[in-house]
Amino acid sequence: MTLVSPRRRIGRTTPHPGHRRGRGGIQAAGFIGPAVIIFGLFYAYPIINTLFISLHDWDIFGGNHEWVGVGNYTRALSDPAFWSSLGKTFYYFISVPIRIGLGLLLAYGLTTFDRWPIAQRFLRAVYFLPVITSWIVVSVIWKGILQPSGLLNQVIGSLGGPRLLWLADRSLAMPAIILMTIWKAVGFSMVVYSAALLAIDPELEEAAAIDGASNWQIFRRIKIPLLRRTTTFLFVISTIDAMQFFAQAYVLTNGGGPARATYPVMLYVYEQAFRRFDAGYASAMAYLLFLIILSITFVFNRINKRNEI
Amino acid sequence: MSAVTDTYQGSRRVSRGHIARIVRVFLVLSAVVMVGPFLWTAISSLKPTDKIFDGSYVPKGFTLDHYRRLFEQTNFLRWFANSVGVITAIIILNLVMASLAAYGFVRLRFRGRDFIFKMLLVSIMLPQQVLMIPLFIWLQRLGLINSYFGLILPFSASAVGIFLLKESFESIPVELHEAARVDGASELSIFLKVYIPLARPALATLVVLTFVINWGAFLLPLVIAQDRSLATLPLGLASFSTQAGIEWGPLLASAFLADLPVIIAFLFLQRYFLAGLTQGALKG
């Protein structure tokens, strides 16, 4: 208790008077050790190892590996199948602004339900239900809905629309997956925006209203700018999420069909590794995807910084 | 003054009322769109096979046949049991590891503490696709492919969980810790008797978060459990839904049953769900 080491004054983030020196290291190891071991074994080591593997011609099941340098990377860059599957993943990014925009609309709309808290809570729960439902379950449900005689065509038909072959038509399969994604993910943006809207000082709105600003003006000129950080955050999170586009194509379109119209790059990586056993090539592509995610995050953060006052 | 604001509000009330009505219609319609697919699945799973796609909203016939066939002719119960077992272990391990680590980061001082914590946070950023291949090769070398340990251990600690509990522990006054130390309590007993009971809401949030993430986990389990007998629900459902000649009745029944635990948990623990998924994401 009375022992105060000189080091304690520097770099202290949490005040901690009751610390006995000497036993600290052992104690700390006992507390954070288990988690650190798990992270080291199953995150840190594999990540570094991916880089190592990606520089080899590496058979995933055999012991065969041969150094090829950046060979796998140049191979990816000149592989049309890699580019076309990457194109499908980028196509899938269309869902990102839509799910964020609709989420904002729902969150903002819910604030007008302030006088009926029960209705508000009920609606919020309903919008959130698809978020917690797993991708596989969502894909199975939508596989049924998108059948020629499924729920979606039934609704379109009752409005007088045509019967569409959502999962068999090359030009409709991606829009169908995007539609499903918006349905599943919009509730997440809604909840995040709801929390952010609550944090806005109501006096700002009152002051603007007294000055004669319309609802739209308040929304456009006050709320949207104040929500900018939240919006950037949602863009980063949703883009990373969209980059993982895999289970949807695996189940909904039976592995990227029809005729590879919905074949995402993650499925290509998976098949190269576990169908063709080419772990080196698959690792190189995985690292390229990682670089894309990093640069997207970097760009969004720059935009965020620039907009800060 | 009040007269002025009154007229302002009076003139705006007309348009405000209109817009409010449109917004409300939009909100209710959205709710219908969100619930519709769930209801359609539940209702379709109770229709006789030839009536599933007959376009009726209200079933004309009612049968539990699909559920019976699901239990008798597929491995659904096996998948379900696998999922329950794996998730129980994952949740318990996450609780233990995250709370221990969070306590270490908040109340103990040791060299490299901040650095180690930052490294853990970086892991949140890492996408699963980078992990997939080396994790497989590594688990293969450890003999953990096609074993329950392989489905559990890599997911037994999460940085988001540690972060969540760290926040909670930080909000507990240091004075409590000091007082307990003066009384001669060890760090372990302070942790168990003071911090854990006070962090109960955060622990509940962690349970819910871990449950949702791992109940639906697909890509990594797909790689780790190549053996069908180890399949968890997502793996079972995926293979069931991609085989030739889909049996829609049992398939929709399985989707509904797989989602039921999530829906029920959500109904009872709503605030932990909302807290967990937004906080987890915001902090990450």
Side-chain angles (χ1 to χ4, degrees), chain A residues 281-297:
Chain A
Y281 186 39
S283 296
M285 290 191 290
Y287 247 91
L288 288 175
L289 298 182
F290 186 35
L291 284 182
I292 293 175
I293 289 180
L294 278 184
S295 25
I296 289 171
T297 313

Side-chain angles (χ1 to χ4, degrees), chain A residues 28-303:
Chain A
F31 277 98
I32 70 159
V36 167
I37 289 171
I38 291 293
F39 276 96
L41 272 182
F42 299 115
Y43 285 85
Y45 173 73
I47 293 295
I48 295 162
N49 204 20
T50 306
L51 194 59
F52 183 70
I53 293 170
S54 75
L55 299 172
H56 290 76
D57 189 0
W58 192 302
D59 185 331
I60 198 162
F61 287 110
N64 250 356
H65 25 272
E66 192 189 322
W67 173 267
V68 291
V70 293
N72 285 320
Y73 290 89
T74 51
R75 181 178 154 200
L77 296 179
S78 58
D79 178 357
F82 172 70
W83 286 109
S84 97
S85 60
L86 192 61
K88 299 302 184 303
T89 299
F90 283 152
Y91 185 173
Y92 186 66
F93 283 3
I94 293 176
S95 62
V96 171
I98 305 176
R99 68 201 241 188
I100 294 174
L102 281 177
L104 176 58
L105 221 57
L106 289 178
Y108 184 65
L110 276 177
T111 60
T112 67
F113 268 79
D114 274 344
R115 268 177 295 165
W116 300 283
I118 294 174
Q120 198 180 35
R121 229 174 307 154
F122 175 76
L123 286 173
R124 191 170 295 148
V126 163
Y127 301 151
F128 206 62
L129 216 46
V131 179
I132 53 172
T133 300
S134 73
W135 270 116
I136 295 295
V137 169
V138 166
S139 302
V140 168
I141 291 177
W142 277 74
K143 200 170 186 172
I145 287 172
L146 294 168
Q147 290 303 303
S149 317
L151 179 64
L152 187 59
N153 274 347
Q154 199 178 315
V155 172
I156 292 175
S158 64
L159 298 171
R163 203 171 122 122
L164 299 167
L165 298 173
W166 291 100
L167 300 176
D169 188 326
R170 279 191 58 110
S171 57
L172 285 178
M174 270 313 287
I177 291 185
I178 289 169
L179 193 68
M180 170 179 87
T181 301
I182 294 165
W183 177 83
K184 174 169 169 30
V186 72
F188 180 74
S189 317
M190 179 274 302
V191 166
V192 174
Y193 271 129
S194 286
L197 279 170
L198 270 181
I200 293 179
D201 186 353
E203 282 182 15
L204 279 174
E205 189 176 350
E206 280 159 29
I210 288 168
D211 287 344
S214 69
N215 268 350
W216 167 249
Q217 283 170 323
I218 293 173
F219 183 66
R220 176 75 192 77
R221 302 268 167 229
I222 297 179
K223 298 211 162 157
I224 298 233
L226 285 173
L227 291 173
R228 193 162 276 154
R229 279 185 70 88
T230 310
T231 306
T232 315
F233 159 76
L234 280 172
F235 263 100
V236 172
I237 276 265
S238 309
T239 310
I240 294 177
D241 184 53
M243 201 76 200
Q244 324 244 358
F245 176 23
F246 176 80
Q248 301 91 308
Y250 192 97
V251 169
L252 195 65
T253 51
N254 284 338
R260 296 211 162 192
T262 61
Y263 192 83
V265 69
M266 262 317 290
L267 198 51
Y268 189 55
V269 172
Y270 172 81
E271 293 200 334
Q272 285 297 322
F274 295 98
R275 300 268 182 275
R276 295 181 184 274
F277 314 122
D278 196 343
Y281 186 39
S283 296
M285 290 191 290
Y287 247 91
L288 288 175
L289 298 182
F290 186 35
L291 284 182
I292 293 175
I293 289 180
L294 278 184
S295 25
I296 289 171
T297 313
F298 179 74
V299 168
F300 277 126
N301 278 335
R302 281 298 291 271
I303 294 172

Side-chain angles (χ1 to χ4, degrees), chain B residues 36-106:
Chain B
F38 290 108
L39 283 182
W40 180 83
T41 307
I43 292 171
S44 298
S45 73
L46 295 170
K47 287 178 174 179
T49 305
D50 54 328
K51 300 261 166 46
I52 290 178
F53 290 108
D54 67 351
S56 63
Y57 293 103
V58 186
K60 284 171 198 115
F62 170 87
T63 172
L64 284 173
D65 206 34
H66 301 314
Y67 288 88
R68 209 184 53 232
R69 285 189 31 227
L70 185 64
F71 296 143
E72 284 171 2
Q73 291 167 17
T74 72
N75 283 324
F76 183 83
L77 290 175
R78 180 72 194 250
W79 305 333
F80 204 93
N82 283 342
S83 268
V84 170
V86 166
I87 202 114
T88 309
I90 288 179
I91 287 176
I92 293 171
L93 285 170
N94 264 283
L95 280 175
V96 173
M97 298 220 198
S99 55
L100 279 174
Y103 185 84
F105 285 121
V106 173

